[in-house]
Amino acid sequence: MCGNAEKMTNQNTISIKKNKLSDRIPFLNKESMNKGSLDYPLVIITTLLVVFGVVMVFSASYYNSINDYGTPYTYLRSQGIYAVTGFVILFVTSKIDYKFWKGMAIPLAFIGLVLLGLIFSPLGVEVNGARRWLNLIAFTIMPGEITKFVIIILCATYFSRDMKRAGKFLGLLPIVAYTVITCLLIVKQPNLSTALTVFFIAVGIAFVAGMQLRYLALMGIGMIGGAYYLTFINDGYWHDRITSFMNPFADALGDGFQVVQSLLALGTGKLWGKGLGQSIQKNLYLPEPQNDFILAIIGEELGFIGIGMLIIVFTILVWRIFYISLQSKDNFGMLLGSGVGIMIAVQVILNIAVVTSSMPPTGIALPFISAGGNALWIFLGLIGIVLNISRTIGTDTKDNTSEN
């Protein structure tokens, strides 16, 4: 009897230790995993966009892939792999309690700066005059994409600890300083569109947190001043890129070539498009059609109707993310989810602006659609975080107080 009692005591002790261990690990925290169901509309919309993206990458890259690799399936295979692994990342982040990321804000902010700095070291890879990649032997990463994730976590953490910070100049100063430093490092690559995305994410989260309109106006004046300097005073790289988009047909075979081919694709697509797979501009006319200018191929093959429907889907996606965010039980969840919605909305708007020659042609991926693993993984990982926020809706009363 004593032996059995001792054995049961040891088993209970082991069980208690396992429970304590599981409480510390987000993946094993049963209470976190069983809080509520996922937001299935968000899952369905995201899945539709990713599947559509894989199809359009295959269509847009068909001839480019044959020309570069001798087979039309290279980009299809890689994008398919990115999509599958991306959904694994989504699954993992949807299981992690979103509050876990609050404790990671400072380490991630440091890592983000280090990665951006390493771009200008021998590890940096230069392609077409831009250094945006780090070569890590087995694979490459884009620190600019990681910075978008970092700025969301950092801003959400900082302002959620004291929402009054967003309404004060000194309260905004630390975030402004970090954002300016990261944006300068990104512009130096050069990559204006990513820098703009990071800037708008930070400003958007601050605005949601309660930033006063006068500070927003000051930032707007600063952006206008910077654009004026790059356009009319500085004679370097950005002067050429900015002035070329104003009239791309003036140098249709030079700086304006890619934008001109994009406009031709959109124009020939008309209302209904030429049909899936029937694009002419992807036949080695439009450079890298599966990447930043994939929307032009969508417009040519599926027409104005196709682009319009895609924009509607993106609008529903962003609305759903903000809906979940506003239902969050705490300020951190609300700001974190809002940052994800802001990031997706900004990138869609900037991509459309680039493709339609409404802003300088700089690299900006169309969320979930453009070819590339780094961006797709980041987007799906962030959607997973929003899904985790959705699981907590209705489980507790919302806490609008400052958080420690």
Side-chain angles (χ1 to χ4, degrees):
M1 292 290 293
C2 292
N4 290 335
E6 184 179 352
K7 185 176 181 180
M8 291 177 64
T9 302
N10 291 335
Q11 288 177 343
N12 290 335
T13 302
I14 293 172
S15 176
I16 291 172
K17 287 182 178 179
K18 285 183 178 179
N19 289 336
K20 288 183 178 180
L21 178 63
S22 67
D23 289 339
R24 298 174 187 173
I25 303 177
F27 299 101
L28 304 178
N29 191 323
K30 292 182 179 180
E31 182 182 353
S32 172
M33 293 172 68
N34 296 325
K35 278 184 177 179
S37 61
L38 295 177
D39 187 84
Y40 289 105
L42 182 58
V43 174
I44 293 170
I45 295 169
T46 301
T47 303
L48 288 174
L49 283 172
V50 174
V51 171
F52 177 72
V54 173
V55 172
M56 289 311 305
V57 165
F58 177 49
S59 177
S61 66
Y62 192 89
Y63 293 103
N64 199 37
S65 181
I66 292 175
N67 184 65
D68 293 341
Y69 303 102
T71 172
Y73 304 111
T74 300
Y75 290 102
L76 173 63
R77 283 195 296 264
S78 63
Q79 194 68 9
I81 293 171
Y82 291 144
V84 171
T85 52
F87 275 107
V88 173
I89 294 172
L90 180 149
F91 176 79
V92 171
T93 54
S94 71
K95 294 295 184 181
I96 300 175
D97 189 333
Y98 67 90
K99 293 180 182 179
F100 164 80
W101 299 105
K102 185 186 293 188
M104 297 298 295
I106 300 302
L108 285 173
F110 176 75
I111 292 171
L113 285 177
V114 171
L115 292 177
L116 287 175
L118 287 175
I119 286 180
F120 306 103
S121 74
L123 293 175
V125 178
E126 183 171 334
V127 179
N128 296 327
R131 298 178 68 89
R132 301 174 184 174
W133 297 266
L134 280 179
N135 185 4
L136 301 181
I137 303 177
F139 57 93
T140 60
I141 63 171
M142 294 184 68
E145 295 298 325
I146 296 173
T147 302
K148 299 171 188 176
F149 173 78
V150 170
I151 203 71
I152 292 174
I153 302 296
L154 183 63
C155 289
T157 300
Y158 178 77
F159 290 119
S160 68
R161 294 190 185 280
D162 183 0
M163 297 289 278
K164 294 180 181 179
R165 289 172 172 173
K168 301 176 182 178
F169 176 77
L170 291 178
L172 290 169
L173 199 56
I175 288 298
V176 170
Y178 184 86
T179 303
V180 168
I181 292 171
T182 54
C183 286
L184 288 175
L185 288 172
I186 294 170
V187 168
K188 188 175 175 60
Q189 294 177 9
N191 191 348
L192 180 61
S193 55
T194 298
L196 286 175
T197 303
V198 171
F199 174 81
F200 283 125
I201 290 171
V203 172
I205 295 176
F207 182 75
V208 172
M211 183 178 67
Q212 298 180 23
L213 289 176
R214 60 179 175 175
Y215 296 131
L216 192 62
L218 285 174
M219 293 178 185
I221 293 172
M223 288 188 63
I224 293 173
Y228 180 84
Y229 170 79
L230 292 174
T231 305
F232 300 105
I233 299 177
N234 184 37
D235 291 330
Y237 173 88
W238 288 116
H239 174 270
D240 297 336
R241 297 301 295 265
I242 291 176
T243 53
S244 68
F245 93 94
M246 295 179 178
N247 184 12
F249 289 93
D251 189 13
L253 297 179
D255 290 334
F257 180 78
Q258 194 169 29
V259 174
V260 167
Q261 300 306 312
S262 173
L263 293 175
L264 289 174
L266 291 170
T268 55
K270 299 182 181 179
L271 185 62
W272 294 102
K274 295 179 177 180
L276 185 63
Q278 302 303 311
S279 167
I280 300 299
Q281 293 305 118
K282 70 182 181 185
N283 298 348
L284 306 182
Y285 291 104
L286 178 63
E288 300 295 331
Q290 70 277 359
N291 292 330
D292 304 331
F293 280 79
I294 195 170
L295 187 67
I297 304 303
I298 295 173
E300 185 179 7
E301 294 189 347
L302 304 181
F304 178 80
I305 297 297
I307 289 182
M309 292 179 65
L310 181 60
I311 292 174
I312 290 173
V313 174
F314 273 122
T315 302
I316 296 172
L317 174 70
V318 172
W319 167 82
R320 194 67 192 177
I321 292 172
F322 275 108
Y323 173 80
I324 293 170
S325 304
L326 293 176
Q327 299 297 315
S328 174
K329 65 179 182 179
D330 60 12
N331 289 325
F332 178 67
M334 184 263 292
L335 295 177
L336 184 61
S338 297
V340 177
I342 291 166
M343 174 181 169
I344 293 173
V346 167
Q347 287 213 200
V348 171
I349 292 171
L350 291 181
N351 184 270
I352 293 173
V354 168
V355 170
T356 58
S357 192
S358 301
M359 69 170 283
T362 60
I364 184 75
L366 185 62
F368 308 103
I369 308 295
S370 295
N374 282 232
L376 186 57
W377 288 342
I378 292 294
F379 281 120
L380 290 175
L382 288 171
I383 291 296
I385 293 175
V386 176
L387 288 172
N388 185 265
I389 296 173
S390 75
R391 300 176 68 201
T392 66
I393 295 176
T395 58
D396 277 311
T397 56
K398 185 169 181 177
D399 179 14
N400 291 319
T401 59
S402 299
E403 302 166 14
N404 294 320

